[in-house]
Amino acid sequence: MYIQQFVLPEFQDILQENNNTDILPKLIGNKGRVEVEYMTTEHRWCRAVWFPVDIIDGKVKTIVFAIEDIHENKIKDERLKQQLYYIDGLISGYDMLMIYNIDEGTCSHSYYADFAPDDCKKPYFEVLDFYDHFTSSMKQYCHPDHLEMMLCYSEKDYVRQMLKNKKRHTRRFLCKNAQGEYRWTEMQLIKFAKEGETANDVAITYIDVDSDEREKRAKEAALEDIKNVVRSNEMGLWHITLIQGQEPSMTVDSKMRQLLGLKDDLVLTDEEMYKAWFDRVLPEALDSVNASVMKMIKEGVRDENTYLWNHPTLGHRYVRCGGTAIPIMGGHLLSGYHYDVTEHVLAEMRQKQLLEDALEANKAKTVSLHNMVHEIRTPLNSIIGFSQLLAMPDGTWTPEEKETHLQQINNGYNILSMLIDDVLDVADSEHGNFMINISETNINTMCRNALQAAMFRKPQSVNMYFTTEVDDDYTIESDGRRITQVLFNYLNNACKHTWAGEVHLHCSTTENPGRLTFSVADTGEGVPAEMAEGIFERFTKHNAKVKGSGIGLNICRVLAEKLNGEVHLDTSYTNGARFVFIL
């Protein structure tokens, strides 16, 4: 046949079968007409038709072959089949459904269920002006309070805007039924276009959700009783709608907008509002937030959660959210409150830290008292022991030996006196009763007295000595006893941590010009870097094996502050430890 050259290969065989010789049986079997649809090489649908026009004595003399272009109708029929296939899945779930073209305003299919008014109860296929039909229907059946809102959907630009970035758009309103009662009805716009394409064909569906909506509104009304209390406590209110297949949406009150850091003139859709909140939940808080939401949904109970949220201007804030979830058509409605608890949480954290510090200090104090008992026992044993030796009969000891025993008793007394003074100084510092007595004080004499008092505490293998940059007659106005106490505590501490080498007490006027600088440097084990900052804290010991109460260095700091001086650890010194006292 001539037309074969204009037909796509896959349609050529079926056309070839219907040639003039083989067509007669088919014409008889098909009531005198044979039709074949095919596509041309230009990809247009056509229809080939064979029918007889000249029949003499029951015999066909002439057969007419005609070609008809059916491309537009074919495409329209295919599109309608696809729509109806889609509609089949919708009709069972909706009470009314219409398919219409946004640009043309024509309706290709409609279906109305029993809930609709009597004049809308039959399925029909016809072309009508959808916008005119929609407007007149709304004016007739829509509740007056909702009419203005619903008439917006008779404007094509408004419909396009509602479906701009999503597949569906939902709106609930009150609609009059066949009995003249207003019932809550949910309208959905469903676009047929693929994501990113312009939606020309739209399904508009209606479903009776009266019982669901009234139940939801009753529960919302129950929440109304606590709104005043919530607002008075700086709480924001929110509602989150989670429907399968749709983007989450969120509505909030003015206080919630303020808590979210949103400007008054910023206009957001409900979906954008949800993102404004959820996208700022810190990653480490997402698990707890999702767990709280799932508990509301699955268990149907109120749940409350505190988590970190990134405020647009205030930065990381602790917020507390609580709420409940109720089932709605296709998902859940969550309602609750949100408020900033940053100050409260930080206060709790501070209280917790204070409690932990107090427990740690109490533990350290217990250990310190235990150590102090041992510290006191040593000089007491010395006093008692040498006193018993002196009590032996005359002639037991030579005068030189008696002098040595008396010296040991005196040293024990001095040690015991200083330990008791340390305890009293701690108590005085806590109660603000610390006494400072100012008088003229000789510097070198103080240093030598401190060295002499500490001499009996040093190991035999340690050389302890004093050097000075001032003359022996150099004096200052201060509390000589307290300065000596600081220097002795420094020297005593050095002796405990130095087993070989030296302990050096030095007085300088050049290290800090215009001020006196006392330093005690040793060649002992030194202070670990991680403990350097807190070495002057009460009950702090960096070596638990070394005897001591852990209050000596702390007393040095208290005394220095009372004398308008300062103490510190010289962290640049690496041969052991070097403690500095500046006046």
Side-chain angles (χ1 to χ4, degrees), residues 363-421:
K363 180 180 177 182
K365 189 174 183 178
T366 301
V367 174
S368 176
L369 291 173
H370 177 76
N371 292 335
M372 191 172 288
V373 170
H374 289 280
E375 290 283 311
I376 292 174
R377 186 175 294 155
T378 299
L380 276 177
N381 289 338
S382 176
I383 293 170
I384 294 170
F386 284 106
S387 296
Q388 289 174 345
L389 290 176
L390 289 176
M392 295 178 71
D394 291 341
T396 303
W397 308 107
T398 64
E400 291 79 11
E401 288 174 329
K402 287 184 178 180
E403 184 64 30
T404 301
H405 294 340
L406 287 171
Q407 184 64 42
Q408 293 296 336
I409 292 173
N410 187 58
N411 288 340
Y413 165 76
N414 289 333
I415 295 173
L416 186 59
S417 177
M418 283 184 291
L419 286 171
I420 294 173
D421 283 345

Side-chain angles (χ1 to χ4, degrees), residues 148-189:
E148 183 178 355
M149 171 185 72
M150 296 307 297
L151 288 180
C152 293
Y153 294 93
S154 63
E155 301 174 8
K156 64 177 68 176
D157 291 339
Y158 184 81
V159 173
R160 287 197 185 280
Q161 182 64 29
M162 293 300 100
L163 293 173
K164 184 177 181 180
N165 296 313
K166 53 188 177 182
K167 197 76 173 176
R168 293 172 182 244
H169 171 73
T170 304
R171 178 70 70 187
R172 290 189 173 188
F173 67 104
L174 281 170
C175 182
K176 189 186 299 182
N177 67 1
Q179 289 73 40
E181 301 173 343
Y182 284 108
R183 297 181 62 82
W184 282 102
T185 304
E186 182 175 274
M187 181 187 76
Q188 283 197 38
L189 300 177

Side-chain angles (χ1 to χ4, degrees), residues 198-440:
T198 300
N200 286 319
D201 290 331
V202 173
I204 180 168
T205 65
Y206 301 89
I207 184 170
D208 188 318
V209 293
D210 192 72
S211 58
D212 172 69
E213 182 68 17
R214 293 188 187 280
E215 180 183 359
K216 183 185 77 171
R217 287 176 176 265
K219 291 183 177 180
E220 288 177 354
L223 292 175
E224 198 66 29
D225 295 337
I226 65 170
K227 281 189 177 182
N228 292 332
V229 177
V230 166
R231 292 192 179 100
S232 66
N233 285 280
E234 296 297 311
M235 293 182 181
L237 298 179
W238 51 262
H239 300 282
I240 295 176
T241 304
L242 301 176
I243 296 179
Q244 188 173 5
Q246 296 185 24
E247 293 184 21
S249 61
M250 185 180 195
T251 58
V252 301
D253 67 357
S254 58
K255 183 61 183 178
M256 184 65 179
R257 283 185 64 95
Q258 180 184 341
L259 291 170
L260 293 178
L262 301 175
K263 296 180 179 179
D264 294 338
D265 58 351
L266 179 62
V267 179
L268 297 176
T269 64
D270 293 349
E271 292 77 14
E272 291 170 338
M273 183 66 73
Y274 177 86
K275 289 178 66 64
W277 163 72
F278 188 77
D279 289 353
R280 288 188 170 272
V281 177
L282 265 64
E284 57 266 32
L286 283 174
D287 288 344
S288 67
V289 170
N290 289 330
S292 181
V293 170
M294 293 309 297
K295 186 175 181 179
M296 294 180 203
I297 292 175
K298 290 186 175 181
E299 300 181 19
V301 297
R302 186 183 73 86
D303 191 57
E304 190 173 75
N305 182 38
T306 301
Y307 58 92
L308 269 174
W309 191 78
N310 187 21
H311 192 278
T313 57
L314 302 178
H316 292 180
R317 307 290 293 178
Y318 285 97
V319 298
R320 184 165 293 159
C321 280
T324 58
I326 58 174
I328 58 175
M329 184 66 64
H332 288 83
L333 175 69
L334 282 66
S335 301
Y337 52 87
H338 169 115
Y339 60 105
D340 192 305
V341 293
T342 302
E343 298 306 322
H344 178 70
V345 171
L346 292 180
E348 285 184 342
M349 293 171 66
R350 285 192 292 268
Q351 286 294 110
K352 182 179 179 182
Q353 186 61 48
L354 288 174
L355 178 60
E356 292 176 353
D357 292 344
L359 292 174
E360 190 64 30
N362 188 58
K363 180 180 177 182
K365 189 174 183 178
T366 301
V367 174
S368 176
L369 291 173
H370 177 76
N371 292 335
M372 191 172 288
V373 170
H374 289 280
E375 290 283 311
I376 292 174
R377 186 175 294 155
T378 299
L380 276 177
N381 289 338
S382 176
I383 293 170
I384 294 170
F386 284 106
S387 296
Q388 289 174 345
L389 290 176
L390 289 176
M392 295 178 71
D394 291 341
T396 303
W397 308 107
T398 64
E400 291 79 11
E401 288 174 329
K402 287 184 178 180
E403 184 64 30
T404 301
H405 294 340
L406 287 171
Q407 184 64 42
Q408 293 296 336
I409 292 173
N410 187 58
N411 288 340
Y413 165 76
N414 289 333
I415 295 173
L416 186 59
S417 177
M418 283 184 291
L419 286 171
I420 294 173
D421 283 345
D422 283 349
V423 175
L424 293 176
D425 287 341
V426 170
D428 286 342
S429 66
E430 287 183 346
H431 295 90
N433 299 325
F434 214 96
M435 299 299 294
I436 297 294
N437 298 309
I438 304 298
S439 63
E440 187 176 4

Side-chain angles (χ1 to χ4, degrees), residues 54-160:
D54 187 8
I55 302 175
I56 301 176
D57 298 329
K59 294 182 179 181
V60 177
K61 299 296 184 178
T62 304
I63 297 176
V64 175
F65 172 69
I67 296 175
E68 178 185 5
D69 187 318
I70 61 170
H71 186 77
E72 299 301 331
N73 290 335
K74 179 74 173 179
I75 294 301
K76 185 175 181 180
D77 289 345
E78 288 295 321
R79 186 176 64 184
L80 183 58
K81 287 179 181 178
Q82 292 177 2
Q83 291 177 352
L84 292 180
Y85 177 78
Y86 186 73
I87 290 167
D88 287 341
L90 293 174
I91 287 177
S92 60
Y94 295 99
D95 298 306
M96 185 167 74
L97 181 144
M98 301 176 70
I99 305 293
Y100 75 98
N101 184 283
I102 294 178
D103 290 333
E104 299 173 3
T106 54
C107 178
S108 59
H109 179 76
S110 299
Y111 170 86
Y112 295 88
D114 290 339
F115 106 97
D118 292 336
D119 57 343
C120 296
K121 283 187 177 179
K122 58 180 182 299
Y124 62 89
F125 288 81
E126 62 179 296
V127 176
L128 52 82
D129 185 332
F130 170 78
Y131 296 117
D132 181 64
H133 171 81
F134 181 87
T135 300
S136 60
S137 297
M138 285 298 158
K139 288 181 178 180
Q140 185 175 358
Y141 301 111
C142 182
H143 192 281
D145 290 348
H146 298 164
L147 182 59
E148 183 178 355
M149 171 185 72
M150 296 307 297
L151 288 180
C152 293
Y153 294 93
S154 63
E155 301 174 8
K156 64 177 68 176
D157 291 339
Y158 184 81
V159 173
R160 287 197 185 280

